[in-house]
Amino acid sequence: MKNIWIIVAALVALGAIIYVVSSDSFSVTNNDRQTGPEVEVPMPVEPDDGIGDVAEPLPEDSGSEEKAEPVTTIGESAGGEDIVAYHFGEGGKEVLFVGGVHSGFAPNTVAVAENLIEELESGSIDLPEDVRVTIVPNLNPDAPRAVNTLAGRLNENGVDLNRNFDCEWQEEGVWQTQAVSGGEEPFSEPEAAALRELVDDNDFDAVVVYYAAAGGVFASNCRGGVLPDTATLTGLYAEAAGYTAFEEFDFYDITGDMVNWLASEEIAAISVLLSDHQNDEWAKNKAGIEAVLEFVAE
């Protein structure tokens, strides 16, 4: 009998312990009783395995200034190829360099422009702080590679782009003794129109255009005489590069010429004619380019 009471006492004690433990871990809610506030059930803590976490978005940098793109597309050729321009510097004085007007005829004119891009990118040419440079390395990407032949001068429409600008334009021009098409009207060709729009959208202080082949630097002039800055640029480039300076191109009559049209727009512009159709003569032309940049920066 004594053992029975011992067992009953043990069961009562065990029940009390279970009640205390349960009271600490779970809430007791009874809508019929108003004896105290509801006790919150503590939720188990899951291990942090990273699954399902969503990172907070980074705040947008609203204070950053928008900068000009280093490469832009200024238009399309007659054959649908992009005509691109490369831009360097943020200065208020602007210089434009153009290669590849006759890219198949004189591929070295493209090479000079590409060398200029590479050296500006690498810092091998010191760009003055107040100067911005734009380079169109290949104005005529459709021209077939036909060195020193008429075919290499023409665009997809069979037009010589250097006869399609609005200075003494004619529908039929000449290259040496051969007749060439100047297009249906000035700027009828998309390449010439793209160059005109680039000039209209910017305030170029000087323009240098590469051709071949005479080994000289030629001033621009469209019925108004040579601009003073054009005369200065002609002499500076020629002296630095070791070319001959010419006041005008008078080997034969030309119509619709690009640099002469630039002269009519009151922009100082020179033609640099390389010595042949293959060699870019980079060391010479680098010196001429640096002379132009220094002059414009003054």
Side-chain angles (χ1 to χ4, degrees), residues 176-191:
Q176 297 181 0
T177 60
Q178 300 183 62
V180 295
S181 172
E184 295 180 355
E185 60 184 4
F187 305 108
S188 63
E189 302 312 297
E191 301 90 345

Side-chain angles (χ1 to χ4, degrees), residues 201-271:
D201 290 345
N202 294 273
D203 187 19
F204 292 117
D205 296 277
V207 180
V208 179
V209 185
Y210 292 97
Y211 302 98
V217 183
F218 295 80
S220 57
N221 177 8
C222 188
R223 301 182 298 273
V226 177
L227 297 172
D229 279 356
T230 298
T232 302
L233 286 173
T234 303
L236 284 174
Y237 198 111
E239 181 179 2
Y243 290 129
T244 303
F246 296 87
E247 186 172 335
E248 63 178 330
F249 185 93
D250 58 1
F251 299 111
Y252 54 91
D253 291 335
I254 56 174
T255 55
D257 180 82
M258 182 196 298
V259 293
N260 288 343
W261 166 71
L262 288 164
S264 72
E265 298 291 310
E266 301 293 317
I267 299 172
I270 59 175
S271 299

